[in-house]
Amino acid sequence: MQTPNYKVSVNGQVVLENATQTGLDFIRLDEQYFHVLHGEKTYLATLEKVDYHAKAFVFRINGEVYEVKIADQFDQMVERLGLHTQAAAKFKDLKAPMPGLVLEVMVEAGQKVQKGDSLLILEAMKMENVLKSPGDGVVKKIKVEKGAAVNKNQVLLEME
């Protein structure tokens, strides 16, 4: 079996390409804090934001903010084939990526949204996750309200 390769960018610059190992070791202390080992140095990293759909993470290390994006072999293939422009295509539903609690609904029925627009905030494992639009569309129906507990894969918004 072939080991998957990853492309990792930090703050928009590719730092690792075709990487199977990063030279970094992460130790999860809890839902928000990580101990990072790089070479002979250690750092305390705070996970501030997660976008699972975009595979993007925002960390704060020593007061500096780092946006980390990870592209797996499939993401890289889609990019090589030029299909990444299709990501702006319309999508049907927005589903919960994990169980959680709806903290805020940021759109209304009938509202036009574009790829990357914030749709709602879902709290999961004591972290606030902003769910963003994976493509362009119009909000047809909002299926949840603020304060609602949701299950993984539950439809949160219907789109048209």
Side-chain angles (χ1 to χ4, degrees):
M1 189 168 126
Q2 183 180 5
T3 304
N5 289 322
Y6 296 93
K7 181 164 91 175
V8 180
S9 63
V10 177
N11 294 341
Q13 286 192 301
V14 175
V15 294
L16 293 169
E17 198 159 359
N18 297 325
T20 55
Q21 294 189 356
T22 64
L24 296 172
D25 290 313
F26 289 86
I27 300 169
R28 187 175 205 147
L29 302 175
D30 63 21
E31 290 84 15
Q32 189 177 6
Y33 297 101
F34 294 80
H35 187 84
V36 181
L37 304 169
H38 182 256
E40 295 184 12
K41 292 187 178 184
T42 62
Y43 304 92
L44 178 65
T46 305
L47 181 60
E48 294 195 342
K49 193 180 342 176
V50 175
D51 182 346
Y52 290 106
H53 184 336
K55 297 178 187 134
F57 308 86
V58 176
F59 289 95
R60 183 174 298 275
I61 302 172
N62 294 339
E64 297 289 325
V65 175
Y66 299 92
E67 182 176 342
V68 178
K69 292 186 179 182
I70 301 169
D72 62 19
Q73 60 192 11
F74 302 109
D75 298 323
Q76 292 175 63
M77 182 186 309
V78 166
E79 186 176 333
R80 278 192 306 273
L81 294 172
L83 300 175
H84 59 281
T85 57
Q86 298 297 320
K90 292 185 179 183
F91 65 103
K92 184 178 176 188
D93 297 322
L94 178 71
K95 296 181 180 179
M98 67 198 84
L101 183 70
V102 176
L103 293 182
E104 184 177 349
V105 177
M106 305 164 90
V107 293
E108 342 179 301
Q111 182 176 338
K112 287 185 180 182
V113 296
Q114 295 180 335
K115 180 183 178 192
D117 288 351
S118 298
L119 302 175
L120 59 84
I121 299 175
L122 182 68
E123 180 184 47
M125 299 186 309
K126 299 180 186 177
M127 290 179 12
E128 292 184 10
N129 301 286
V130 178
L131 301 184
K132 297 187 177 196
S133 176
D136 297 342
V138 176
V139 178
K140 179 178 180 182
K141 186 174 185 180
I142 299 171
K143 305 276 285 184
V144 294
E145 57 186 37
K146 182 177 179 176
V150 298
N151 296 313
K152 182 176 180 174
N153 292 324
Q154 180 177 337
V155 175
L156 307 173
L157 302 173
E158 287 182 5
M159 303 298 292
E160 54 183 5

